[in-house]
Amino acid sequence: MAERDDLKLAEAEAAAPAAPAPRTGAPAWVSASIPAVFVVLWSSAFIAAVIGTDAAPPLLLTFCRFAVAGILLAGVVVVTKAPWPKGRLLLHVIVTGLLMQAVQFGAFYTAIGAGLPGGLVALIQGFNPVLIALMAGFVAGETISRQQWLGFAVGGVGVAIAVGGALDSSVSGIVLSFVGLLGLSVGTVYQKRFTQGADVRSSTAVHFLASAPVMLVMTLALEDPEVTDWAGFGGSLAWIVLINSVGTFLLLNFMLKKQAASRVGTLFFLTPAVTAVLAWLVIDQTLGLSAIIGLVLGGAGVLLAARK
């Protein structure tokens, strides 16, 4: 009799609707807000650079960023036991780091320190996908579509208008911004070609650690490495290292796991305009009409060139 009751109980449990599985992971609104948070945080790097270069020479700020971020990431590598690059791969990782870190940020920070608005520097940096596509077309023989050529033309006109309006403020800053863009773009192509097998954590640590001594030599040789405002310098350095070097890096990798790389890449088209708005809100740095027109045309051009 007991066996029959147990059988009926088992049949009733089997026929009952299954309880809904518990939800795991972050709420939907959190995941949906991550791209917007990423754009704001990425754009804030230019504002922090403006504050930091007002408090200390730009190459000194760049050296401190690389040194602190390199030590922090090296600790992460040791704790997580990530493999360090060795041999020829290590040399390629060092070259990549010098291009993408030392050349890019050394030039960008010096341009900002020379008085170039952060929004304009962000606009020039935003042409990285365009320059990479051109490199792929001329060096690797990849086909460039008519839509891409149209995007290059529209974006080029936008940059020309924005740069033309800033010639009276800092010609050297404009030249340095394009040097930084070249370092970023060449470094990206070099990284894709020669460092595919490197661990992201350890290779990024090597990027910073290899670039820090270069920036130290340059700040000692070319600047008077003296901090005039320790509060502004410390605050901007902490923001650049913790938020821009670590926080946005984690958000970027999270989005790349959830979305296509091309979709994530389109977020960078928003950074020049967001940088300009943040500069106006935070440090009261405004842009002229030519710079605003350039931002609009530049963003439209890069978007056209990057769309499939």
Side-chain angles (χ1 to χ4, degrees), residues 4 18 20 24 60 66 83 100 124 139 146 167 173 193 196-197 210 213 217 229 254 257 261 268 292 299 302:
R4 183 178 299 175
T24 59
L60 175 61
F66 292 161
M100 296 185 67
I124 295 174
V139 177
R146 291 182 179 179
L167 285 175
R193 174 67 177 82
Q196 287 294 317
V217 172
D229 178 7
F254 175 83
K257 289 181 179 180
F268 291 96
I292 294 174
V302 175

mmCIF file of all heavy atoms in Angstrom, residues 4 18 20 24 60 66 83 100 124 139 146 167 173 193 196-197 210 213 217 229 254 257 261 268 292 299 302:
data_model
loop_
_atom_site.group_PDB
_atom_site.id
_atom_site.type_symbol
_atom_site.label_atom_id
_atom_site.label_comp_id
_atom_site.label_asym_id
_atom_site.label_seq_id
_atom_site.Cartn_x
_atom_site.Cartn_y
_atom_site.Cartn_z
ATOM 1 N N ARG A 4 2.356 1.848 -3.382
ATOM 2 C CA ARG A 4 1.408 2.449 -4.322
ATOM 3 C C ARG A 4 1.269 3.950 -4.045
ATOM 4 O O ARG A 4 1.211 4.759 -4.973
ATOM 5 C CB ARG A 4 0.053 1.765 -4.177
ATOM 6 C CG ARG A 4 -0.983 2.275 -5.164
ATOM 7 C CD ARG A 4 -2.284 1.530 -4.991
ATOM 8 N NE ARG A 4 -2.102 0.096 -5.254
ATOM 9 C CZ ARG A 4 -3.069 -0.806 -5.085
ATOM 10 N NH1 ARG A 4 -4.261 -0.430 -4.645
ATOM 11 N NH2 ARG A 4 -2.837 -2.085 -5.335
ATOM 12 N N ALA A 18 7.157 22.511 -13.868
ATOM 13 C CA ALA A 18 8.476 22.735 -13.281
ATOM 14 C C ALA A 18 8.596 24.174 -12.791
ATOM 15 O O ALA A 18 8.065 25.093 -13.400
ATOM 16 C CB ALA A 18 9.574 22.460 -14.327
ATOM 17 N N PRO A 20 10.211 27.703 -12.238
ATOM 18 C CA PRO A 20 11.113 28.464 -13.094
ATOM 19 C C PRO A 20 12.522 28.500 -12.524
ATOM 20 O O PRO A 20 12.710 28.593 -11.310
ATOM 21 C CB PRO A 20 10.492 29.875 -13.100
ATOM 22 C CG PRO A 20 9.663 29.934 -11.855
ATOM 23 C CD PRO A 20 9.157 28.551 -11.648
ATOM 24 N N THR A 24 20.106 34.190 -13.219
ATOM 25 C CA THR A 24 21.502 34.387 -12.886
ATOM 26 C C THR A 24 22.030 35.565 -13.671
ATOM 27 O O THR A 24 21.502 35.933 -14.703
ATOM 28 C CB THR A 24 22.319 33.130 -13.211
ATOM 29 O OG1 THR A 24 22.182 32.838 -14.614
ATOM 30 C CG2 THR A 24 21.867 31.935 -12.409
ATOM 31 N N LEU A 60 55.468 63.641 -17.852
ATOM 32 C CA LEU A 60 55.529 63.139 -16.474
ATOM 33 C C LEU A 60 54.234 62.419 -16.126
ATOM 34 O O LEU A 60 54.256 61.343 -15.503
ATOM 35 C CB LEU A 60 55.773 64.297 -15.512
ATOM 36 C CG LEU A 60 55.751 63.948 -14.020
ATOM 37 C CD1 LEU A 60 56.847 62.945 -13.682
ATOM 38 C CD2 LEU A 60 55.885 65.207 -13.164
ATOM 39 N N PHE A 66 51.829 54.960 -16.843
ATOM 40 C CA PHE A 66 52.367 53.670 -17.270
ATOM 41 C C PHE A 66 52.966 52.906 -16.098
ATOM 42 O O PHE A 66 52.782 51.685 -15.978
ATOM 43 C CB PHE A 66 53.429 53.877 -18.347
ATOM 44 C CG PHE A 66 52.894 54.403 -19.649
ATOM 45 C CD1 PHE A 66 53.739 55.011 -20.567
ATOM 46 C CD2 PHE A 66 51.554 54.310 -19.971
ATOM 47 C CE1 PHE A 66 53.260 55.492 -21.770
ATOM 48 C CE2 PHE A 66 51.048 54.797 -21.158
ATOM 49 C CZ PHE A 66 51.911 55.393 -22.068
ATOM 50 N N PRO A 83 50.299 33.496 -18.264
ATOM 51 C CA PRO A 83 51.635 33.284 -18.849
ATOM 52 C C PRO A 83 52.221 34.577 -19.407
ATOM 53 O O PRO A 83 51.535 35.336 -20.083
ATOM 54 C CB PRO A 83 51.362 32.271 -19.965
ATOM 55 C CG PRO A 83 49.933 32.501 -20.356
ATOM 56 C CD PRO A 83 49.227 32.893 -19.082
ATOM 57 N N MET A 100 51.491 51.658 -29.256
ATOM 58 C CA MET A 100 50.123 51.924 -28.799
ATOM 59 C C MET A 100 50.071 52.712 -27.493
ATOM 60 O O MET A 100 49.060 53.358 -27.205
ATOM 61 C CB MET A 100 49.359 50.609 -28.628
ATOM 62 C CG MET A 100 49.167 49.830 -29.910
ATOM 63 S SD MET A 100 48.148 48.351 -29.688
ATOM 64 C CE MET A 100 46.561 49.075 -29.306
ATOM 65 N N ILE A 124 40.314 63.165 -33.656
ATOM 66 C CA ILE A 124 41.449 62.635 -34.415
ATOM 67 C C ILE A 124 41.710 61.181 -34.035
ATOM 68 O O ILE A 124 41.962 60.335 -34.896
ATOM 69 C CB ILE A 124 42.686 63.509 -34.176
ATOM 70 C CG1 ILE A 124 42.440 64.917 -34.742
ATOM 71 C CG2 ILE A 124 43.927 62.895 -34.819
ATOM 72 C CD1 ILE A 124 43.544 65.909 -34.437
ATOM 73 N N VAL A 139 48.160 47.845 -47.886
ATOM 74 C CA VAL A 139 49.227 46.932 -47.498
ATOM 75 C C VAL A 139 48.818 45.482 -47.688
ATOM 76 O O VAL A 139 49.555 44.683 -48.266
ATOM 77 C CB VAL A 139 49.639 47.179 -46.026
ATOM 78 C CG1 VAL A 139 50.711 46.181 -45.594
ATOM 79 C CG2 VAL A 139 50.138 48.602 -45.854
ATOM 80 N N ARG A 146 32.921 51.472 -52.131
ATOM 81 C CA ARG A 146 32.592 52.867 -52.419
ATOM 82 C C ARG A 146 32.059 53.573 -51.178
ATOM 83 O O ARG A 146 32.323 54.759 -50.964
ATOM 84 C CB ARG A 146 31.546 52.927 -53.539
ATOM 85 C CG ARG A 146 32.075 52.485 -54.905
ATOM 86 C CD ARG A 146 30.982 52.621 -55.958
ATOM 87 N NE ARG A 146 31.473 52.214 -57.283
ATOM 88 C CZ ARG A 146 30.716 52.217 -58.386
ATOM 89 N NH1 ARG A 146 29.443 52.614 -58.308
ATOM 90 N NH2 ARG A 146 31.223 51.835 -59.538
ATOM 91 N N LEU A 167 43.904 75.928 -35.834
ATOM 92 C CA LEU A 167 45.278 76.242 -36.213
ATOM 93 C C LEU A 167 45.834 77.428 -35.432
ATOM 94 O O LEU A 167 47.044 77.507 -35.187
ATOM 95 C CB LEU A 167 45.347 76.538 -37.715
ATOM 96 C CG LEU A 167 45.266 75.317 -38.639
ATOM 97 C CD1 LEU A 167 45.231 75.764 -40.094
ATOM 98 C CD2 LEU A 167 46.433 74.375 -38.388
ATOM 99 N N GLY A 173 50.154 70.956 -31.375
ATOM 100 C CA GLY A 173 49.223 70.002 -30.797
ATOM 101 C C GLY A 173 48.508 69.187 -31.846
ATOM 102 O O GLY A 173 48.281 67.981 -31.672
ATOM 103 N N ARG A 193 48.965 41.345 -36.284
ATOM 104 C CA ARG A 193 49.818 40.534 -37.154
ATOM 105 C C ARG A 193 50.802 39.660 -36.372
ATOM 106 O O ARG A 193 51.050 38.510 -36.738
ATOM 107 C CB ARG A 193 50.590 41.463 -38.099
ATOM 108 C CG ARG A 193 51.629 40.771 -38.970
ATOM 109 C CD ARG A 193 50.979 39.838 -39.986
ATOM 110 N NE ARG A 193 51.965 39.227 -40.859
ATOM 111 C CZ ARG A 193 52.701 38.163 -40.553
ATOM 112 N NH1 ARG A 193 52.512 37.564 -39.376
ATOM 113 N NH2 ARG A 193 53.581 37.681 -41.403
ATOM 114 N N GLN A 196 49.211 37.538 -31.759
ATOM 115 C CA GLN A 196 47.929 36.857 -31.564
ATOM 116 C C GLN A 196 47.960 35.847 -30.418
ATOM 117 O O GLN A 196 46.959 35.618 -29.764
ATOM 118 C CB GLN A 196 47.517 36.148 -32.863
ATOM 119 C CG GLN A 196 47.054 37.092 -33.962
ATOM 120 C CD GLN A 196 45.765 37.803 -33.603
ATOM 121 O OE1 GLN A 196 44.837 37.205 -33.078
ATOM 122 N NE2 GLN A 196 45.707 39.106 -33.858
ATOM 123 N N GLY A 197 49.111 35.243 -30.155
ATOM 124 C CA GLY A 197 49.171 34.209 -29.123
ATOM 125 C C GLY A 197 49.429 34.722 -27.725
ATOM 126 O O GLY A 197 49.514 33.929 -26.784
ATOM 127 N N ALA A 210 57.119 48.444 -20.468
ATOM 128 C CA ALA A 210 58.126 48.781 -21.473
ATOM 129 C C ALA A 210 58.076 50.266 -21.832
ATOM 130 O O ALA A 210 59.105 50.866 -22.179
ATOM 131 C CB ALA A 210 57.916 47.934 -22.727
ATOM 132 N N PRO A 213 59.813 53.366 -18.873
ATOM 133 C CA PRO A 213 61.179 53.906 -18.910
ATOM 134 C C PRO A 213 61.401 54.908 -20.038
ATOM 135 O O PRO A 213 62.149 55.878 -19.868
ATOM 136 C CB PRO A 213 62.042 52.656 -19.101
ATOM 137 C CG PRO A 213 61.209 51.522 -18.622
ATOM 138 C CD PRO A 213 59.807 51.894 -18.972
ATOM 139 N N VAL A 217 62.700 58.795 -19.382
ATOM 140 C CA VAL A 217 63.839 59.447 -20.041
ATOM 141 C C VAL A 217 63.393 60.723 -20.740
ATOM 142 O O VAL A 217 64.068 61.768 -20.667
ATOM 143 C CB VAL A 217 64.504 58.482 -21.042
ATOM 144 C CG1 VAL A 217 65.552 59.211 -21.878
ATOM 145 C CG2 VAL A 217 65.136 57.306 -20.309
ATOM 146 N N ASP A 229 50.293 71.123 -8.823
ATOM 147 C CA ASP A 229 49.014 70.951 -8.130
ATOM 148 C C ASP A 229 48.852 69.463 -7.826
ATOM 149 O O ASP A 229 48.395 68.684 -8.666
ATOM 150 C CB ASP A 229 47.858 71.463 -8.993
ATOM 151 C CG ASP A 229 46.499 71.269 -8.327
ATOM 152 O OD1 ASP A 229 46.448 70.871 -7.147
ATOM 153 O OD2 ASP A 229 45.471 71.495 -9.003
ATOM 154 N N PHE A 254 33.950 42.678 -21.459
ATOM 155 C CA PHE A 254 32.605 42.160 -21.187
ATOM 156 C C PHE A 254 31.715 42.318 -22.413
ATOM 157 O O PHE A 254 30.989 41.394 -22.800
ATOM 158 C CB PHE A 254 32.006 42.894 -19.984
ATOM 159 C CG PHE A 254 30.577 42.522 -19.694
ATOM 160 C CD1 PHE A 254 30.274 41.386 -18.957
ATOM 161 C CD2 PHE A 254 29.521 43.300 -20.164
ATOM 162 C CE1 PHE A 254 28.962 41.036 -18.696
ATOM 163 C CE2 PHE A 254 28.211 42.963 -19.904
ATOM 164 C CZ PHE A 254 27.927 41.816 -19.165
ATOM 165 N N LYS A 257 32.449 39.941 -25.267
ATOM 166 C CA LYS A 257 31.942 38.598 -25.052
ATOM 167 C C LYS A 257 30.447 38.498 -25.360
ATOM 168 O O LYS A 257 29.954 37.436 -25.724
ATOM 169 C CB LYS A 257 32.185 38.178 -23.593
ATOM 170 C CG LYS A 257 33.645 37.930 -23.273
ATOM 171 C CD LYS A 257 33.798 37.485 -21.818
ATOM 172 C CE LYS A 257 35.253 37.217 -21.484
ATOM 173 N NZ LYS A 257 35.425 36.782 -20.066
ATOM 174 N N ALA A 261 32.154 42.307 -32.401
ATOM 175 C CA ALA A 261 33.204 43.311 -32.290
ATOM 176 C C ALA A 261 32.868 44.558 -33.101
ATOM 177 O O ALA A 261 33.167 45.683 -32.689
ATOM 178 C CB ALA A 261 34.535 42.723 -32.739
ATOM 179 N N PHE A 268 32.905 53.844 -30.359
ATOM 180 C CA PHE A 268 33.990 54.809 -30.363
ATOM 181 C C PHE A 268 33.661 56.031 -31.229
ATOM 182 O O PHE A 268 34.302 57.071 -31.091
ATOM 183 C CB PHE A 268 35.278 54.149 -30.861
ATOM 184 C CG PHE A 268 35.822 53.129 -29.900
ATOM 185 C CD1 PHE A 268 35.533 51.785 -30.044
ATOM 186 C CD2 PHE A 268 36.614 53.526 -28.832
ATOM 187 C CE1 PHE A 268 36.028 50.849 -29.165
ATOM 188 C CE2 PHE A 268 37.111 52.591 -27.934
ATOM 189 C CZ PHE A 268 36.820 51.252 -28.099
ATOM 190 N N ILE A 292 32.617 72.092 -33.981
ATOM 191 C CA ILE A 292 31.357 71.347 -33.855
ATOM 192 C C ILE A 292 30.963 70.739 -35.195
ATOM 193 O O ILE A 292 30.567 69.564 -35.272
ATOM 194 C CB ILE A 292 30.253 72.278 -33.329
ATOM 195 C CG1 ILE A 292 30.577 72.723 -31.901
ATOM 196 C CG2 ILE A 292 28.895 71.572 -33.369
ATOM 197 C CD1 ILE A 292 29.618 73.753 -31.348
ATOM 198 N N GLY A 299 32.313 62.232 -37.297
ATOM 199 C CA GLY A 299 31.610 61.052 -36.799
ATOM 200 C C GLY A 299 30.806 60.359 -37.874
ATOM 201 O O GLY A 299 30.792 59.123 -37.967
ATOM 202 N N VAL A 302 33.321 58.471 -40.258
ATOM 203 C CA VAL A 302 33.858 57.239 -39.677
ATOM 204 C C VAL A 302 32.787 56.166 -39.604
ATOM 205 O O VAL A 302 33.049 54.980 -39.859
ATOM 206 C CB VAL A 302 34.442 57.530 -38.276
ATOM 207 C CG1 VAL A 302 34.885 56.242 -37.609
ATOM 208 C CG2 VAL A 302 35.606 58.485 -38.371
#
